Amino acid sequence: MYDYLVVGAGLYGAIFAHEAKNAGKKVLVIDKRSTVAGNIYTEEIEGIHVHKYGAHIFHTNNKKVWEYINQFAEFNRFTNSPVANYKGELYSLPFNMYTFNKMWGVVTPEEAEKKINEQRKEIVGEPKNLEEQAISLVGRDIYEKLIKGYTEKQWGRDCRELPSFIIKRLPVRLTFDNNYFNALYQGIPIGGYTKMINNLLKDIKVELNVDYLENKQKYNSIAKKIIYTGAIDAYFDYKFGNLEYRSVKFENELLDIPNFQGNAAVNYTDKDTPWTRIIEHKWFEFGKDIDGNDLPKTVISKEYSSEWKLGDEPYYPVNDVKNNELYEKYKNLADKQNKVIFGGRLGEYKYYDMDKTIEVVLDMCQLELY
Ligand code: UDP
């Protein structure tokens, strides 16, 4: 009999399993995929660690989280500074003095602020949705060229129907600072995220290619408790209807050139380009292999966002009012399952970044294990 069956070998599941084992518990981890690491899985192709389920850049302000994860990986000094491509015009992200200079020709912070203030006047009162929030942060010009098209492709919804918190993830700065994140600590694990997860799962029994939901009775009978990190609505067989998610499809290409776009991420912010962004994975590691040699080839991934349907991989929860209400109904059921703990981006239907995931699972471990 296992003390814990962990369903899902992603970041949340792997950390729980690691902590449970350290606390002397008997643990089994299962995953329906043939690989560990969930959506942070990286695969090595031509010496490049390819982020198979989308780019993941670790960043946090939480020192405890940073120290914790550094036990399992050494992080490089990568700093995310994506470029926006709007119909061939290139802009710096996040919104900063380089962006404002290119957009309006302003040179000083004072001039930039004046321009933004003029434009944000059109929003009076508390912003009610993402569009109003964006305009009140940076004005209409930037909204139209760098936010609207990208966001509507990414979420498949009108910006007036999206919650404003999504855009608050992006900083706005009156300095020449292209660092996308406001984070004290940032980097990519040297050797890839899969290696980091394997370090967490060291000496823990893992079974891949097995579907918990299809064999629930059997799996429930072999463990005292279940840590479930899959989609909460799937667990309950979508009985109240499905929660909405965005899914992502990737078109990967191995190119026989050393440099395709000169940056890890280029966002296509117009509405007509069908992909949202192109990731060139080698730049997460400065174009070098593990021994510091320049890599002759490159791997790129075009990212296409789509509405999730049964059979697709869920990536992003759509945390609008309607879905959050539906989630609460599932959460009520989940709270009554004494044997099962629901966790992670899918189990809690929250747009968690990796650092937040670590924070919540460590909190959960405190309550559960010690
Ligand atoms: N966003 C945007 N333009 C960009 C990049 C981001 O409008 O060039 C908006 C968009 O609404 C997106 C949100 O900011 O959903 C959050 O972007 P982030 O890069 O944090 O998303 P993730 O990397 O998690 O997909």
PDB file of all heavy atoms in Angstrom, residues 12 212-213 216 226-236 327 330-331 333-344 346-349 352 364:
ATOM      1  N   TYR A  12       4.426  20.251 -10.018  1.00  0.00           N
ATOM      2  CA  TYR A  12       3.701  20.103  -8.755  1.00  0.00           C
ATOM      3  C   TYR A  12       3.848  18.676  -8.219  1.00  0.00           C
ATOM      4  O   TYR A  12       4.228  18.452  -7.069  1.00  0.00           O
ATOM      5  CB  TYR A  12       2.225  20.447  -8.975  1.00  0.00           C
ATOM      6  CG  TYR A  12       1.403  20.544  -7.713  1.00  0.00           C
ATOM      7  CD1 TYR A  12       1.075  21.779  -7.163  1.00  0.00           C
ATOM      8  CD2 TYR A  12       0.919  19.395  -7.077  1.00  0.00           C
ATOM      9  CE1 TYR A  12       0.303  21.871  -6.010  1.00  0.00           C
ATOM     10  CE2 TYR A  12       0.156  19.475  -5.920  1.00  0.00           C
ATOM     11  CZ  TYR A  12      -0.152  20.717  -5.391  1.00  0.00           C
ATOM     12  OH  TYR A  12      -0.910  20.807  -4.249  1.00  0.00           O
ATOM     13  N   TYR A 212      -4.807   7.384 -15.158  1.00  0.00           N
ATOM     14  CA  TYR A 212      -5.482   7.258 -13.856  1.00  0.00           C
ATOM     15  C   TYR A 212      -6.997   7.257 -14.005  1.00  0.00           C
ATOM     16  O   TYR A 212      -7.686   6.409 -13.429  1.00  0.00           O
ATOM     17  CB  TYR A 212      -5.037   8.416 -12.953  1.00  0.00           C
ATOM     18  CG  TYR A 212      -5.850   8.570 -11.694  1.00  0.00           C
ATOM     19  CD1 TYR A 212      -5.680   7.706 -10.620  1.00  0.00           C
ATOM     20  CD2 TYR A 212      -6.797   9.593 -11.583  1.00  0.00           C
ATOM     21  CE1 TYR A 212      -6.435   7.836  -9.463  1.00  0.00           C
ATOM     22  CE2 TYR A 212      -7.547   9.740 -10.427  1.00  0.00           C
ATOM     23  CZ  TYR A 212      -7.369   8.859  -9.375  1.00  0.00           C
ATOM     24  OH  TYR A 212      -8.116   8.999  -8.228  1.00  0.00           O
ATOM     25  N   LEU A 213      -7.518   8.186 -14.779  1.00  0.00           N
ATOM     26  CA  LEU A 213      -8.972   8.327 -14.843  1.00  0.00           C
ATOM     27  C   LEU A 213      -9.647   7.089 -15.430  1.00  0.00           C
ATOM     28  O   LEU A 213     -10.776   6.773 -15.086  1.00  0.00           O
ATOM     29  CB  LEU A 213      -9.361   9.578 -15.644  1.00  0.00           C
ATOM     30  CG  LEU A 213      -8.967  10.914 -14.996  1.00  0.00           C
ATOM     31  CD1 LEU A 213      -9.377  12.086 -15.882  1.00  0.00           C
ATOM     32  CD2 LEU A 213      -9.572  11.063 -13.601  1.00  0.00           C
ATOM     33  N   LYS A 216      -9.457   4.404 -12.283  1.00  0.00           N
ATOM     34  CA  LYS A 216      -9.547   5.078 -10.993  1.00  0.00           C
ATOM     35  C   LYS A 216      -9.683   4.116  -9.819  1.00  0.00           C
ATOM     36  O   LYS A 216      -8.956   4.225  -8.835  1.00  0.00           O
ATOM     37  CB  LYS A 216     -10.775   5.983 -11.041  1.00  0.00           C
ATOM     38  CG  LYS A 216     -10.560   7.369 -10.511  1.00  0.00           C
ATOM     39  CD  LYS A 216     -11.901   8.053 -10.524  1.00  0.00           C
ATOM     40  CE  LYS A 216     -11.849   9.521 -10.491  1.00  0.00           C
ATOM     41  NZ  LYS A 216     -13.195  10.104 -10.705  1.00  0.00           N
ATOM     42  N   ILE A 226      -4.466  10.317  -2.705  1.00  0.00           N
ATOM     43  CA  ILE A 226      -4.137  10.624  -4.095  1.00  0.00           C
ATOM     44  C   ILE A 226      -3.832  12.121  -4.208  1.00  0.00           C
ATOM     45  O   ILE A 226      -4.568  12.957  -3.684  1.00  0.00           O
ATOM     46  CB  ILE A 226      -5.348  10.344  -5.036  1.00  0.00           C
ATOM     47  CG1 ILE A 226      -6.035   9.013  -4.726  1.00  0.00           C
ATOM     48  CG2 ILE A 226      -4.956  10.480  -6.500  1.00  0.00           C
ATOM     49  CD1 ILE A 226      -5.271   7.780  -5.059  1.00  0.00           C
ATOM     50  N   ILE A 227      -2.749  12.434  -4.889  1.00  0.00           N
ATOM     51  CA  ILE A 227      -2.473  13.835  -5.244  1.00  0.00           C
ATOM     52  C   ILE A 227      -2.753  13.921  -6.737  1.00  0.00           C
ATOM     53  O   ILE A 227      -2.035  13.329  -7.548  1.00  0.00           O
ATOM     54  CB  ILE A 227      -1.002  14.217  -4.967  1.00  0.00           C
ATOM     55  CG1 ILE A 227      -0.577  13.846  -3.534  1.00  0.00           C
ATOM     56  CG2 ILE A 227      -0.770  15.706  -5.270  1.00  0.00           C
ATOM     57  CD1 ILE A 227      -1.353  14.521  -2.431  1.00  0.00           C
ATOM     58  N   TYR A 228      -3.809  14.626  -7.092  1.00  0.00           N
ATOM     59  CA  TYR A 228      -4.260  14.640  -8.483  1.00  0.00           C
ATOM     60  C   TYR A 228      -3.929  15.993  -9.126  1.00  0.00           C
ATOM     61  O   TYR A 228      -4.403  17.037  -8.657  1.00  0.00           O
ATOM     62  CB  TYR A 228      -5.773  14.380  -8.521  1.00  0.00           C
ATOM     63  CG  TYR A 228      -6.379  14.483  -9.896  1.00  0.00           C
ATOM     64  CD1 TYR A 228      -6.307  13.413 -10.787  1.00  0.00           C
ATOM     65  CD2 TYR A 228      -6.993  15.661 -10.320  1.00  0.00           C
ATOM     66  CE1 TYR A 228      -6.835  13.509 -12.061  1.00  0.00           C
ATOM     67  CE2 TYR A 228      -7.526  15.761 -11.592  1.00  0.00           C
ATOM     68  CZ  TYR A 228      -7.447  14.688 -12.456  1.00  0.00           C
ATOM     69  OH  TYR A 228      -7.973  14.788 -13.720  1.00  0.00           O
ATOM     70  N   THR A 229      -3.099  15.978 -10.166  1.00  0.00           N
ATOM     71  CA  THR A 229      -2.698  17.253 -10.790  1.00  0.00           C
ATOM     72  C   THR A 229      -3.246  17.400 -12.209  1.00  0.00           C
ATOM     73  O   THR A 229      -2.818  18.266 -12.955  1.00  0.00           O
ATOM     74  CB  THR A 229      -1.156  17.416 -10.814  1.00  0.00           C
ATOM     75  OG1 THR A 229      -0.598  16.473 -11.744  1.00  0.00           O
ATOM     76  CG2 THR A 229      -0.540  17.186  -9.449  1.00  0.00           C
ATOM     77  N   GLY A 230      -4.193  16.543 -12.564  1.00  0.00           N
ATOM     78  CA  GLY A 230      -4.833  16.689 -13.875  1.00  0.00           C
ATOM     79  C   GLY A 230      -5.947  17.718 -13.813  1.00  0.00           C
ATOM     80  O   GLY A 230      -6.132  18.413 -12.795  1.00  0.00           O
ATOM     81  N   ALA A 231      -6.706  17.815 -14.887  1.00  0.00           N
ATOM     82  CA  ALA A 231      -7.791  18.800 -14.957  1.00  0.00           C
ATOM     83  C   ALA A 231      -8.918  18.391 -14.010  1.00  0.00           C
ATOM     84  O   ALA A 231      -9.372  17.245 -14.021  1.00  0.00           O
ATOM     85  CB  ALA A 231      -8.308  18.900 -16.386  1.00  0.00           C
ATOM     86  N   ILE A 232      -9.362  19.340 -13.217  1.00  0.00           N
ATOM     87  CA  ILE A 232     -10.367  19.047 -12.186  1.00  0.00           C
ATOM     88  C   ILE A 232     -11.709  18.645 -12.816  1.00  0.00           C
ATOM     89  O   ILE A 232     -12.386  17.744 -12.311  1.00  0.00           O
ATOM     90  CB  ILE A 232     -10.517  20.241 -11.200  1.00  0.00           C
ATOM     91  CG1 ILE A 232     -11.440  19.875 -10.031  1.00  0.00           C
ATOM     92  CG2 ILE A 232     -10.986  21.506 -11.901  1.00  0.00           C
ATOM     93  CD1 ILE A 232     -11.399  20.874  -8.884  1.00  0.00           C
ATOM     94  N   ASP A 233     -12.072  19.251 -13.941  1.00  0.00           N
ATOM     95  CA  ASP A 233     -13.367  18.895 -14.558  1.00  0.00           C
ATOM     96  C   ASP A 233     -13.311  17.487 -15.150  1.00  0.00           C
ATOM     97  O   ASP A 233     -14.291  16.747 -15.111  1.00  0.00           O
ATOM     98  CB  ASP A 233     -13.800  19.937 -15.599  1.00  0.00           C
ATOM     99  CG  ASP A 233     -12.739  20.226 -16.641  1.00  0.00           C
ATOM    100  OD1 ASP A 233     -11.563  19.861 -16.448  1.00  0.00           O
ATOM    101  OD2 ASP A 233     -13.089  20.849 -17.677  1.00  0.00           O
ATOM    102  N   ALA A 234     -12.139  17.096 -15.656  1.00  0.00           N
ATOM    103  CA  ALA A 234     -11.988  15.732 -16.194  1.00  0.00           C
ATOM    104  C   ALA A 234     -12.148  14.708 -15.080  1.00  0.00           C
ATOM    105  O   ALA A 234     -12.765  13.658 -15.265  1.00  0.00           O
ATOM    106  CB  ALA A 234     -10.635  15.575 -16.870  1.00  0.00           C
ATOM    107  N   TYR A 235     -11.624  15.024 -13.901  1.00  0.00           N
ATOM    108  CA  TYR A 235     -11.735  14.098 -12.761  1.00  0.00           C
ATOM    109  C   TYR A 235     -13.193  13.764 -12.482  1.00  0.00           C
ATOM    110  O   TYR A 235     -13.535  12.629 -12.176  1.00  0.00           O
ATOM    111  CB  TYR A 235     -11.086  14.718 -11.513  1.00  0.00           C
ATOM    112  CG  TYR A 235     -11.144  13.804 -10.308  1.00  0.00           C
ATOM    113  CD1 TYR A 235     -10.092  12.940 -10.014  1.00  0.00           C
ATOM    114  CD2 TYR A 235     -12.263  13.785  -9.479  1.00  0.00           C
ATOM    115  CE1 TYR A 235     -10.154  12.077  -8.931  1.00  0.00           C
ATOM    116  CE2 TYR A 235     -12.348  12.927  -8.393  1.00  0.00           C
ATOM    117  CZ  TYR A 235     -11.292  12.082  -8.119  1.00  0.00           C
ATOM    118  OH  TYR A 235     -11.366  11.222  -7.046  1.00  0.00           O
ATOM    119  N   PHE A 236     -14.049  14.783 -12.569  1.00  0.00           N
ATOM    120  CA  PHE A 236     -15.469  14.574 -12.292  1.00  0.00           C
ATOM    121  C   PHE A 236     -16.268  14.301 -13.568  1.00  0.00           C
ATOM    122  O   PHE A 236     -17.467  14.548 -13.627  1.00  0.00           O
ATOM    123  CB  PHE A 236     -16.045  15.784 -11.535  1.00  0.00           C
ATOM    124  CG  PHE A 236     -15.468  15.931 -10.159  1.00  0.00           C
ATOM    125  CD1 PHE A 236     -14.557  16.939  -9.872  1.00  0.00           C
ATOM    126  CD2 PHE A 236     -15.811  15.032  -9.153  1.00  0.00           C
ATOM    127  CE1 PHE A 236     -14.008  17.064  -8.602  1.00  0.00           C
ATOM    128  CE2 PHE A 236     -15.265  15.155  -7.879  1.00  0.00           C
ATOM    129  CZ  PHE A 236     -14.360  16.166  -7.599  1.00  0.00           C
ATOM    130  N   TYR A 327     -15.748  26.561 -11.970  1.00  0.00           N
ATOM    131  CA  TYR A 327     -14.674  25.941 -11.185  1.00  0.00           C
ATOM    132  C   TYR A 327     -15.089  25.790  -9.722  1.00  0.00           C
ATOM    133  O   TYR A 327     -14.841  24.760  -9.094  1.00  0.00           O
ATOM    134  CB  TYR A 327     -13.368  26.747 -11.296  1.00  0.00           C
ATOM    135  CG  TYR A 327     -12.353  26.335 -10.265  1.00  0.00           C
ATOM    136  CD1 TYR A 327     -11.726  25.095 -10.347  1.00  0.00           C
ATOM    137  CD2 TYR A 327     -12.060  27.156  -9.175  1.00  0.00           C
ATOM    138  CE1 TYR A 327     -10.825  24.682  -9.374  1.00  0.00           C
ATOM    139  CE2 TYR A 327     -11.167  26.748  -8.201  1.00  0.00           C
ATOM    140  CZ  TYR A 327     -10.549  25.515  -8.301  1.00  0.00           C
ATOM    141  OH  TYR A 327      -9.673  25.114  -7.327  1.00  0.00           O
ATOM    142  N   TYR A 330     -16.960  22.689  -9.132  1.00  0.00           N
ATOM    143  CA  TYR A 330     -16.087  21.513  -9.071  1.00  0.00           C
ATOM    144  C   TYR A 330     -15.274  21.496  -7.781  1.00  0.00           C
ATOM    145  O   TYR A 330     -15.055  20.459  -7.169  1.00  0.00           O
ATOM    146  CB  TYR A 330     -15.150  21.469 -10.286  1.00  0.00           C
ATOM    147  CG  TYR A 330     -15.837  20.977 -11.546  1.00  0.00           C
ATOM    148  CD1 TYR A 330     -16.003  21.798 -12.648  1.00  0.00           C
ATOM    149  CD2 TYR A 330     -16.317  19.669 -11.612  1.00  0.00           C
ATOM    150  CE1 TYR A 330     -16.626  21.337 -13.794  1.00  0.00           C
ATOM    151  CE2 TYR A 330     -16.950  19.198 -12.767  1.00  0.00           C
ATOM    152  CZ  TYR A 330     -17.102  20.031 -13.854  1.00  0.00           C
ATOM    153  OH  TYR A 330     -17.722  19.573 -14.978  1.00  0.00           O
ATOM    154  N   LYS A 331     -14.850  22.683  -7.366  1.00  0.00           N
ATOM    155  CA  LYS A 331     -14.034  22.784  -6.151  1.00  0.00           C
ATOM    156  C   LYS A 331     -14.829  22.294  -4.932  1.00  0.00           C
ATOM    157  O   LYS A 331     -14.288  21.627  -4.060  1.00  0.00           O
ATOM    158  CB  LYS A 331     -13.598  24.244  -5.973  1.00  0.00           C
ATOM    159  CG  LYS A 331     -12.970  24.592  -4.649  1.00  0.00           C
ATOM    160  CD  LYS A 331     -11.462  24.714  -4.788  1.00  0.00           C
ATOM    161  CE  LYS A 331     -10.725  25.165  -3.563  1.00  0.00           C
ATOM    162  NZ  LYS A 331     -11.150  24.649  -2.279  1.00  0.00           N
ATOM    163  N   LEU A 333     -17.083  20.004  -4.919  1.00  0.00           N
ATOM    164  CA  LEU A 333     -17.039  18.534  -4.949  1.00  0.00           C
ATOM    165  C   LEU A 333     -15.672  18.040  -4.507  1.00  0.00           C
ATOM    166  O   LEU A 333     -15.566  17.086  -3.732  1.00  0.00           O
ATOM    167  CB  LEU A 333     -17.278  18.022  -6.376  1.00  0.00           C
ATOM    168  CG  LEU A 333     -18.682  18.031  -6.949  1.00  0.00           C
ATOM    169  CD1 LEU A 333     -18.668  17.305  -8.293  1.00  0.00           C
ATOM    170  CD2 LEU A 333     -19.649  17.337  -5.991  1.00  0.00           C
ATOM    171  N   ALA A 334     -14.641  18.717  -5.008  1.00  0.00           N
ATOM    172  CA  ALA A 334     -13.273  18.289  -4.712  1.00  0.00           C
ATOM    173  C   ALA A 334     -13.011  18.329  -3.202  1.00  0.00           C
ATOM    174  O   ALA A 334     -12.376  17.433  -2.646  1.00  0.00           O
ATOM    175  CB  ALA A 334     -12.278  19.180  -5.451  1.00  0.00           C
ATOM    176  N   ASP A 335     -13.527  19.377  -2.554  1.00  0.00           N
ATOM    177  CA  ASP A 335     -13.302  19.514  -1.112  1.00  0.00           C
ATOM    178  C   ASP A 335     -13.918  18.365  -0.320  1.00  0.00           C
ATOM    179  O   ASP A 335     -13.534  18.099   0.815  1.00  0.00           O
ATOM    180  CB  ASP A 335     -13.881  20.850  -0.612  1.00  0.00           C
ATOM    181  CG  ASP A 335     -13.037  22.026  -1.086  1.00  0.00           C
ATOM    182  OD1 ASP A 335     -11.885  21.786  -1.513  1.00  0.00           O
ATOM    183  OD2 ASP A 335     -13.529  23.174  -1.045  1.00  0.00           O
ATOM    184  N   LYS A 336     -14.903  17.712  -0.922  1.00  0.00           N
ATOM    185  CA  LYS A 336     -15.554  16.591  -0.214  1.00  0.00           C
ATOM    186  C   LYS A 336     -14.830  15.260  -0.419  1.00  0.00           C
ATOM    187  O   LYS A 336     -15.176  14.258   0.189  1.00  0.00           O
ATOM    188  CB  LYS A 336     -17.006  16.467  -0.689  1.00  0.00           C
ATOM    189  CG  LYS A 336     -17.849  17.669  -0.297  1.00  0.00           C
ATOM    190  CD  LYS A 336     -19.325  17.422  -0.546  1.00  0.00           C
ATOM    191  CE  LYS A 336     -20.130  18.683  -0.320  1.00  0.00           C
ATOM    192  NZ  LYS A 336     -20.497  19.354  -1.582  1.00  0.00           N
ATOM    193  N   GLN A 337     -13.855  15.256  -1.328  1.00  0.00           N
ATOM    194  CA  GLN A 337     -13.097  14.015  -1.566  1.00  0.00           C
ATOM    195  C   GLN A 337     -11.953  13.944  -0.563  1.00  0.00           C
ATOM    196  O   GLN A 337     -10.877  14.463  -0.812  1.00  0.00           O
ATOM    197  CB  GLN A 337     -12.491  14.017  -2.980  1.00  0.00           C
ATOM    198  CG  GLN A 337     -13.444  14.343  -4.098  1.00  0.00           C
ATOM    199  CD  GLN A 337     -14.266  13.134  -4.483  1.00  0.00           C
ATOM    200  OE1 GLN A 337     -13.744  12.055  -4.677  1.00  0.00           O
ATOM    201  NE2 GLN A 337     -15.566  13.322  -4.577  1.00  0.00           N
ATOM    202  N   ASN A 338     -12.190  13.300   0.549  1.00  0.00           N
ATOM    203  CA  ASN A 338     -11.172  13.310   1.609  1.00  0.00           C
ATOM    204  C   ASN A 338      -9.858  12.662   1.206  1.00  0.00           C
ATOM    205  O   ASN A 338      -8.807  12.992   1.712  1.00  0.00           O
ATOM    206  CB  ASN A 338     -11.707  12.603   2.858  1.00  0.00           C
ATOM    207  CG  ASN A 338     -12.901  13.336   3.396  1.00  0.00           C
ATOM    208  OD1 ASN A 338     -13.006  14.556   3.256  1.00  0.00           O
ATOM    209  ND2 ASN A 338     -13.847  12.598   3.963  1.00  0.00           N
ATOM    210  N   LYS A 339      -9.974  11.739   0.276  1.00  0.00           N
ATOM    211  CA  LYS A 339      -8.803  10.954  -0.096  1.00  0.00           C
ATOM    212  C   LYS A 339      -7.954  11.629  -1.175  1.00  0.00           C
ATOM    213  O   LYS A 339      -6.843  11.192  -1.461  1.00  0.00           O
ATOM    214  CB  LYS A 339      -9.319   9.616  -0.641  1.00  0.00           C
ATOM    215  CG  LYS A 339      -8.500   8.437  -0.216  1.00  0.00           C
ATOM    216  CD  LYS A 339      -8.990   7.167  -0.882  1.00  0.00           C
ATOM    217  CE  LYS A 339      -7.781   6.476  -1.466  1.00  0.00           C
ATOM    218  NZ  LYS A 339      -7.825   5.045  -1.412  1.00  0.00           N
ATOM    219  N   VAL A 340      -8.520  12.669  -1.790  1.00  0.00           N
ATOM    220  CA  VAL A 340      -7.846  13.243  -2.965  1.00  0.00           C
ATOM    221  C   VAL A 340      -7.525  14.716  -2.743  1.00  0.00           C
ATOM    222  O   VAL A 340      -8.376  15.480  -2.292  1.00  0.00           O
ATOM    223  CB  VAL A 340      -8.740  13.120  -4.229  1.00  0.00           C
ATOM    224  CG1 VAL A 340      -7.975  13.510  -5.477  1.00  0.00           C
ATOM    225  CG2 VAL A 340      -9.305  11.719  -4.358  1.00  0.00           C
ATOM    226  N   ILE A 341      -6.290  15.106  -3.072  1.00  0.00           N
ATOM    227  CA  ILE A 341      -5.913  16.527  -3.049  1.00  0.00           C
ATOM    228  C   ILE A 341      -5.698  16.972  -4.483  1.00  0.00           C
ATOM    229  O   ILE A 341      -4.981  16.310  -5.240  1.00  0.00           O
ATOM    230  CB  ILE A 341      -4.640  16.741  -2.212  1.00  0.00           C
ATOM    231  CG1 ILE A 341      -4.924  16.371  -0.752  1.00  0.00           C
ATOM    232  CG2 ILE A 341      -4.142  18.189  -2.335  1.00  0.00           C
ATOM    233  CD1 ILE A 341      -3.704  16.440   0.145  1.00  0.00           C
ATOM    234  N   PHE A 342      -6.339  18.063  -4.855  1.00  0.00           N
ATOM    235  CA  PHE A 342      -6.224  18.581  -6.219  1.00  0.00           C
ATOM    236  C   PHE A 342      -5.198  19.695  -6.234  1.00  0.00           C
ATOM    237  O   PHE A 342      -5.290  20.637  -5.438  1.00  0.00           O
ATOM    238  CB  PHE A 342      -7.581  19.135  -6.694  1.00  0.00           C
ATOM    239  CG  PHE A 342      -8.627  18.063  -6.852  1.00  0.00           C
ATOM    240  CD1 PHE A 342      -9.234  17.504  -5.749  1.00  0.00           C
ATOM    241  CD2 PHE A 342      -8.989  17.608  -8.118  1.00  0.00           C
ATOM    242  CE1 PHE A 342     -10.184  16.491  -5.881  1.00  0.00           C
ATOM    243  CE2 PHE A 342      -9.932  16.603  -8.259  1.00  0.00           C
ATOM    244  CZ  PHE A 342     -10.524  16.045  -7.143  1.00  0.00           C
ATOM    245  N   GLY A 343      -4.218  19.618  -7.155  1.00  0.00           N
ATOM    246  CA  GLY A 343      -3.188  20.659  -7.139  1.00  0.00           C
ATOM    247  C   GLY A 343      -2.643  21.004  -8.500  1.00  0.00           C
ATOM    248  O   GLY A 343      -2.772  20.239  -9.460  1.00  0.00           O
ATOM    249  N   GLY A 344      -2.034  22.190  -8.582  1.00  0.00           N
ATOM    250  CA  GLY A 344      -1.373  22.615  -9.818  1.00  0.00           C
ATOM    251  C   GLY A 344      -2.282  23.416 -10.729  1.00  0.00           C
ATOM    252  O   GLY A 344      -3.435  23.696 -10.405  1.00  0.00           O
ATOM    253  N   LEU A 346      -3.802  22.775 -13.484  1.00  0.00           N
ATOM    254  CA  LEU A 346      -5.033  22.125 -13.952  1.00  0.00           C
ATOM    255  C   LEU A 346      -5.922  21.679 -12.799  1.00  0.00           C
ATOM    256  O   LEU A 346      -7.142  21.780 -12.875  1.00  0.00           O
ATOM    257  CB  LEU A 346      -4.688  20.920 -14.836  1.00  0.00           C
ATOM    258  CG  LEU A 346      -3.868  21.243 -16.084  1.00  0.00           C
ATOM    259  CD1 LEU A 346      -3.508  19.964 -16.829  1.00  0.00           C
ATOM    260  CD2 LEU A 346      -4.628  22.196 -17.002  1.00  0.00           C
ATOM    261  N   GLY A 347      -5.303  21.208 -11.730  1.00  0.00           N
ATOM    262  CA  GLY A 347      -6.082  20.740 -10.586  1.00  0.00           C
ATOM    263  C   GLY A 347      -6.762  21.886  -9.851  1.00  0.00           C
ATOM    264  O   GLY A 347      -7.806  21.707  -9.236  1.00  0.00           O
ATOM    265  N   GLU A 348      -6.164  23.092  -9.938  1.00  0.00           N
ATOM    266  CA  GLU A 348      -6.745  24.252  -9.242  1.00  0.00           C
ATOM    267  C   GLU A 348      -7.291  25.297 -10.212  1.00  0.00           C
ATOM    268  O   GLU A 348      -7.769  26.349  -9.796  1.00  0.00           O
ATOM    269  CB  GLU A 348      -5.685  24.904  -8.332  1.00  0.00           C
ATOM    270  CG  GLU A 348      -5.204  23.969  -7.239  1.00  0.00           C
ATOM    271  CD  GLU A 348      -4.061  24.568  -6.423  1.00  0.00           C
ATOM    272  OE1 GLU A 348      -4.213  25.694  -5.919  1.00  0.00           O
ATOM    273  OE2 GLU A 348      -3.014  23.920  -6.329  1.00  0.00           O
ATOM    274  N   TYR A 349      -7.183  25.003 -11.518  1.00  0.00           N
ATOM    275  CA  TYR A 349      -7.697  25.897 -12.560  1.00  0.00           C
ATOM    276  C   TYR A 349      -7.200  27.336 -12.364  1.00  0.00           C
ATOM    277  O   TYR A 349      -7.946  28.285 -12.334  1.00  0.00           O
ATOM    278  CB  TYR A 349      -9.235  25.857 -12.602  1.00  0.00           C
ATOM    279  CG  TYR A 349      -9.810  26.412 -13.886  1.00  0.00           C
ATOM    280  CD1 TYR A 349      -9.600  25.785 -15.110  1.00  0.00           C
ATOM    281  CD2 TYR A 349     -10.564  27.589 -13.884  1.00  0.00           C
ATOM    282  CE1 TYR A 349     -10.109  26.292 -16.285  1.00  0.00           C
ATOM    283  CE2 TYR A 349     -11.092  28.109 -15.061  1.00  0.00           C
ATOM    284  CZ  TYR A 349     -10.859  27.457 -16.259  1.00  0.00           C
ATOM    285  OH  TYR A 349     -11.371  27.965 -17.426  1.00  0.00           O
ATOM    286  N   TYR A 352      -1.067  29.586 -12.932  1.00  0.00           N
ATOM    287  CA  TYR A 352       0.132  29.635 -12.107  1.00  0.00           C
ATOM    288  C   TYR A 352       1.397  29.706 -12.957  1.00  0.00           C
ATOM    289  O   TYR A 352       1.541  28.962 -13.920  1.00  0.00           O
ATOM    290  CB  TYR A 352       0.263  28.351 -11.284  1.00  0.00           C
ATOM    291  CG  TYR A 352      -0.631  28.233 -10.070  1.00  0.00           C
ATOM    292  CD1 TYR A 352      -1.061  26.994  -9.635  1.00  0.00           C
ATOM    293  CD2 TYR A 352      -0.999  29.353  -9.347  1.00  0.00           C
ATOM    294  CE1 TYR A 352      -1.857  26.862  -8.509  1.00  0.00           C
ATOM    295  CE2 TYR A 352      -1.796  29.226  -8.215  1.00  0.00           C
ATOM    296  CZ  TYR A 352      -2.221  27.982  -7.812  1.00  0.00           C
ATOM    297  OH  TYR A 352      -3.001  27.847  -6.693  1.00  0.00           O
ATOM    298  N   MET A 364       1.296  23.180   0.644  1.00  0.00           N
ATOM    299  CA  MET A 364       0.472  21.977   0.805  1.00  0.00           C
ATOM    300  C   MET A 364       1.257  20.900   1.556  1.00  0.00           C
ATOM    301  O   MET A 364       0.721  20.234   2.446  1.00  0.00           O
ATOM    302  CB  MET A 364       0.032  21.510  -0.582  1.00  0.00           C
ATOM    303  CG  MET A 364      -0.999  20.414  -0.566  1.00  0.00           C
ATOM    304  SD  MET A 364      -0.236  18.812  -0.403  1.00  0.00           S
ATOM    305  CE  MET A 364      -0.282  18.243  -2.072  1.00  0.00           C
TER     306      MET A 364
END
